[in-house]
Amino acid sequence: MNLDNIDLEQEKKEILSSYRGLLRVAKHVKTPEDKKIVRKAFDVALEAHKDMRRKSGEPYIYHPIAVARIVAEEIGLGTTAIVSALLHDTVEDTELTLDDVEHLFGDKVRSIIDGLTKIADVFDTTVSIQAENFKKMLLTLSDDVRVILIKLADRLHNMRTLESMRRDKQLKIASETSFMYAPLAHRLGLYSIKTELEDLALKYTEPEEYNEITTKLKKGQAVRTRFINRFTLPIRRELDKEGFNYVVKSRPKSIHSIWNKIHTKNIPFEEIYDLFAVRIIIDTPPEREKADCWKIYSIVTDFYQPNPDRLRDWISTPKSNGYESLHTTVMSPTGKWVEVQIRTERMDEVAEMGYAAHWKYKSQTDEEGSLDIWLSRIREMLDSNSEEAIDFIDDFKLNLFSDEIFVFTPQGELKTLPSRATALDFAFDIHSQVGESCIGAKVNQKLVPLSHPLKSGDQIEILTSKKQKAKEDWLNFVVTAKAKSKIKTALKEEQKQIASLGKEQVQRKFKSLGVTFNSRNVSELEKFYGYKAALDLYHDIAKDKISLKKMKGFTIEKNNIHFEKEDTPVNQPGKGPKTKTPGHKDTLFVGDDEKDVPYKLAPCCNPIPGDDVFGFVTINDGIKIHRVNCPNAVQLRSNYAYRVIKAKWQSQKEKEFIAYVYFKGIDDIGLVSNITQLISNDLNVNMKSIGFESNDGVFDGHVSVYVYDTDHLNDLIDQLKQVEGVLTVTRGEQPDE
Ligand code: MN
């Protein structure tokens, strides 16, 4: 036990040094009385937690000290908040009571600790929280908004030390963090904290992608630094000459925002990481702030050409959350756009730390007083039905209803899924076997089909049956990659099983004929029936699509089989009895799936069922159906686009699916029409929708097209890449409406 004693002594020293670290950064703890009360809070917390250790094994007291340090250093709060942060876990986890706290530290600290203890119940249990309830909860629990700020600091430290938690706990805490805490920090203007929370959440929810992005960022660090140094050199020289006191900072985008861009916009990492901002922060007195910022703007634009569309003056009119800065985007010598943010040290602090710093500067009174003004402002905002309050709620709604949804198991466990995820996606998210045997679901106690799209807050119970098997048409509505790949694997597995039955039939047949069962002979058989893969052949034999009895015109020589007419197979996959041959009755759909619209086939191109066609509304003769490659088509489509309507044969609809293609390029007149021309005329691909957006000479576009298969789609992508000005073409998910 001697060793333990030595450790404890050392530990005590370390705890004290960590406490002193807190005091060093607590700039607002100035008076001897303030210092005394903070020390008292530390002593009380130390004593209360003395027998407790965190999961990592370290003494528990490190946690409240760290939370208090975040509160002081990163949010800029004062004595009352620091005292409360030091005590934040005492009432919940130790013998200390609220009355003790009030007795020792007064009623203000009591009410904050009370709020923190209550908020823990709501925040930390995964119940479905709608935005409106969330607001109510914040209102009732946070008579003092310091409660929320300390809670945020608490969560930040827990996220920073999440490593030692169990994997399932990590996931739960990380999901909650991106669900509630990060948007909350964002709304309160705590940008650094918001960013760090998001990055840390990603680290645990998407560890592989997080690591990939981090590694790539590290790799690019040297190149980035060199670029920034070269870019800022002339500016720095001039600033020195003018006698400015300044720092130049440059930070790449946050890992989470890069990840988000990659996923929502389908932009490769290399293109995002290139985009970064250079920040010039000057130290200048309040009365010169605006003039000096503009002076620096003028220096920057003396060296680099600015984009006039991208000038943002948030100094003259600050953002509603207090953000002030002057932004411009300029062209660097290497042809890259660089955003330059110009601001003062004060503005920078507000931007990083949010409202707290804002009010600290605004008010000339003591820190506690000005903080109270800020707190009451936020409270008012939450309390009223003002526009800001609605914004506040919208922020959560945005988070609730945008690219991710948050749903719950019957046990209340939180699951994160992409928006548009269905009940079946949820089933596969739980387990692939649950997915494969899923026959239906209950969403909020109501029975729904497998394809039912889920909403945030839904509670889902999955119904399964042992007899159920994965179905091909499931692929039409699941959205998660996990569900898709599991369904495909299950289908393949089933195909393999069926194929093995067909294989046995072939083996028997060969045996009866005295033919060796080997790859040479099987491939002869494939050729005879017109198949490219043995597995497909076996499958169709087992399914009775083709019959071995029809085998004819062959000779057998030394156990090898030869067919006479190899070039005229009796059957061809895809052209089997299922497919309608041209001339058969085929229904034409005109417009949006209308099949009873009268039409005539245009005599100029004589379309037949199966052709790619479109409808054209004539003046006197109703709707005429033309082939897409009709000699008149280009002229009709370009001159009378408004009279063109969609038309499609039933047989085609069955074969087609919609694919989404995204492209990026250099904006150029005629580019859009080149692309649409290529798609609709040259490639005969039907477009469902198209969208373009042009930004600073760069355009972003997406089209949704009907294609037959991936070869067809890849062909289209290859052709699009050839269009002059187009830089990247990628296949993606359905765009947000
Ligand atoms: Mn805590």
Side-chain angles (χ1 to χ4, degrees), residues 208-221:
E208 276 155 34
E209 289 183 71
Y210 176 90
N211 285 335
E212 196 183 323
I213 295 171
T214 326
T215 316
K216 282 182 176 173
L217 278 176
K218 256 186 217 143
K219 255 195 208 158
Q221 179 66 41

Side-chain angles (χ1 to χ4, degrees), residues 39-55:
R39 176 70 202 211
K40 190 160 117 192
F42 167 67
D43 288 337
V44 169
L46 184 62
E47 177 62 23
H49 292 298
K50 69 172 189 287
D51 296 324
M52 293 168 64
R53 283 181 184 266
R54 304 193 81 212
K55 277 266 152 58

Side-chain angles (χ1 to χ4, degrees), residues 17 29 31 45 79 84 101 127 131 253 278 406 414 417 451 471 475 504 520 551 554 557 622 633 644 661 684 695 721:
S17 120
V29 181
T31 64
T79 307
S84 307
V101 171
V127 284
K253 282 179 178 296
V278 172
F406 299 88
L414 182 71
L417 291 170
S451 58
K471 299 262 182 343
L475 291 169
E504 282 169 20
R520 186 221 160 261
M551 229 171 94
F554 56 87
E557 210 178 287
V644 169
V661 178
N684 283 345
N695 217 338
K721 282 182 181 160

Side-chain angles (χ1 to χ4, degrees), residues 60 63 67 88-89 154 158:
Y60 195 85
H63 170 63
V67 173
H88 82 272
D89 278 331
D154 182 32
N158 286 335

Side-chain angles (χ1 to χ4, degrees), residues 14 46 113 115 186 218 246 276 296 304 350 352 370 471 551 558:
E14 278 164 16
L46 184 62
I113 301 295
H186 177 65
K218 256 186 217 143
Y246 67 94
F276 46 85
I296 290 168
Y304 305 112
V350 170
E352 296 287 313
S370 67
K471 299 262 182 343
M551 229 171 94
K558 285 184 192 162

